[in-house]
């Protein structure tokens, strides 16, 4: 069974905050969402979810669609009821035991969302149990369709329900969602609109505090410093740029964080870190989400390259590719100009800028994975010699790593 599991952010329009993630599972003939969901493939997917329940982003809500069979199996109880939103579709709504099934979970404190709401008695009978109403607006056009969606939004608010517009994959659809007055938006376009270009590099304050703590030790550990810098795209970029500046009169380019730390030296590094710590840094949730995205891409890219034989870049280069893929949203300049200022391998530059070559194919695979573009994921992974079921496991391991480090970084920042 080859399955892909992807998370997709759900953003509150009013505040630009990410309030949760939908856990999306590939649907095919072997999926837990097909009609014969009691088969071996479905059992394997349930086992996968059981093994990875703690790797799903824990600080925000997880939205996931459950079939009647999965609900009868008590699969939602794998998750913390305060962190899971059970999504239901037509196969639940029309089920003869729907009301009994949903009311049971509702009584236990679970929240519900209803996908692709319809103006039918069956769907209206579910309203008292649901907290969120979701509707795909990607193909909504013309006054009649817009008015129809507007009615659903107004109805949702009239019943004190939150409305989530899905399929927000372009600026046009995003603008439509805003005009409809929806509460939340979800889709491949969201990762772009949660970022705001600035005149300087944004960095995570918690990482700075950790750097300060380590650098002020009597004997700072270079490996610890490397670990801290390597999880922040902005710090990595700034350090490489400084290490290759004319100030250090370099003869050979410094292409790794470790080399840069050695070249700059502890004394200069202290001055650099202290200067950064005095900069005003009013980060918001969008900036944090961007940094998490860069770190997630870096880890995922690095893990995938380790699975490929004789690939044209190594795992360290792949890590930098993922980390630097978001820099154009942090710095007010084209990505090509930004990458020109730092020494990274040419294949990574071509991959990031033009999606050329095998590296470009890997970068495209990472982006398609984020968008849950199942067809392209299957095509690209096949060409790169990757198995999607292995990718799903690696993805969840990356989620857990980002989670753990983020909790640590944010905790340090909040305690200062």
């Amino acid at each position: 069974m080859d399955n892909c599991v992807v998370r997709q952010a759900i953003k509150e329009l009013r505040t630009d905050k990410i309030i949760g993630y939908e856990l999306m599972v590939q649907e095919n003939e072997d999926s837990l969402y097909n009609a014969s969901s009691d088969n071996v493939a479905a059992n394997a997917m349930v086992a996968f979810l059981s093994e990875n329940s703690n790797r799903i982003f824990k600080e925000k809500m997880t939205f996931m669609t459950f079939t009647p069979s999965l609900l009868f199996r008590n699969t939602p109880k794998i998750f913390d009821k305060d962190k899971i939103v059970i999504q239901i579709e037509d196969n639940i709504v029309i089920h003869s035991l729907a009301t009994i099934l949903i009311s049971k979970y509702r009584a236990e404190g679970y929240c519900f969302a209803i996908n692709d709401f319809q103006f039918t008695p069956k769907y209206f009978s579910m309203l008292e149990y649901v907290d969120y109403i979701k509707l795909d607006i990607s193909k909504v056009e013309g006054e009649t369709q817009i008015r129809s969606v507007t009615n659903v939004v107004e109805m949702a608010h009239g019943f004190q329900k939150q409305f989530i517009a899905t399929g927000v994959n372009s600026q046009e659809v995003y603008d439509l969602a805003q005009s409809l007055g929806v509460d939340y938006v979800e889709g491949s376009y969201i990762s772009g609109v949660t970022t705001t270009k600035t005149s300087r590099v944004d960095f995570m304050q918690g990482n700075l505090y950790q750097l300060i703590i380590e650098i002020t030790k009597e004997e700072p550990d270079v490996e610890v410093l490397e670990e801290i810098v390597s999880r922040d795209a902005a710090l990595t970029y700034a350090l490489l740029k400084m290490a290759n500046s004319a100030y250090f009169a370099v003869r050979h380019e410094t292409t790794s964080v470790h080399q840069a730390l050695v070249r700059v030296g502890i004394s200069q590094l202290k001055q650099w870190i202290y200067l950064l710590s005095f900069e005003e840094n009013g980060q918001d949730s969008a900036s944090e989400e961007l940094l998490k995205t860069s770190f997630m891409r870096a880890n995922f890219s690095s893990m995938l390259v380790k699975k490929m034989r004789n690939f044209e870049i190594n795992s360290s280069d792949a890590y930098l590719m993922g980390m630097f893929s978001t820099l154009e949203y942090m710095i007010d300049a084209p990505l090509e100009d930004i990458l020109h200022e730092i020494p990274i391998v040419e294949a990574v530059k071509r991959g990031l800028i033009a999606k050329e070559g095998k590296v470009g194919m890997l970068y495209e695979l990472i982006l398609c994975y984020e968008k849950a573009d199942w067809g392209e994921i299957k095509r690209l992974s096949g060409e790169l010699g990757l198995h999607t079921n292995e990718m799903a496991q690696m993805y969840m391991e990356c989620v857990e790593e980002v989670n753990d480090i983020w909790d640590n970084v944010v905790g340090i920042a909040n305690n200062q």
Side-chain angles (χ1 to χ4, degrees), residues 211-221 224 266 270:
L211 279 176
I212 292 171
I213 291 169
E214 185 61 35
I215 203 69
T216 52
K217 291 181 178 178
E218 187 173 340
E219 294 186 8
D221 189 324
V224 173
I266 297 299
K270 283 183 179 180

Side-chain angles (χ1 to χ4, degrees), residues 137-148:
I137 65 168
S138 60
K139 298 179 180 179
V140 172
E141 56 184 21
E143 290 186 12
T144 301
Q145 291 184 352
I146 291 175
R147 186 63 233 171
S148 177

Side-chain angles (χ1 to χ4, degrees), residues 133-243:
I133 290 176
K134 302 183 73 177
L135 195 63
D136 186 344
I137 65 168
S138 60
K139 298 179 180 179
V140 172
E141 56 184 21
E143 290 186 12
T144 301
Q145 291 184 352
I146 291 175
R147 186 63 233 171
S148 177
V149 176
T150 301
N151 290 337
V152 179
V153 175
E154 292 175 350
M155 180 276 302
H157 292 159
F159 282 91
Q160 286 76 54
K161 312 298 178 184
Q162 302 285 295
F163 188 95
I164 303 175
T166 64
V168 182
N169 303 323
S170 67
Q171 175 73 57
E172 183 181 12
V173 180
Y174 184 78
D175 292 341
L176 172 61
Q178 288 184 311
S179 68
L180 291 170
V182 307
D183 301 293
Y184 308 101
V185 285
E186 175 187 350
S188 60
Y189 182 71
I190 302 309
S191 60
V193 297
T194 56
T195 62
T196 303
K197 291 191 176 182
T198 60
S199 59
R200 62 173 178 81
V201 178
D202 278 333
F203 47 83
M204 188 65 189
Q205 197 69 26
N207 286 326
L208 272 183
Y209 287 129
Q210 288 186 315
L211 279 176
I212 292 171
I213 291 169
E214 185 61 35
I215 203 69
T216 52
K217 291 181 178 178
E218 187 173 340
E219 294 186 8
D221 189 324
V222 174
E223 290 186 0
V224 173
L225 293 171
E226 180 183 359
E227 179 186 347
I228 297 169
V229 172
S230 294
R231 62 178 178 236
D232 193 314
L235 288 175
T236 302
Y237 169 79
L239 177 63
L240 286 177
K241 187 175 179 181
M242 178 176 65

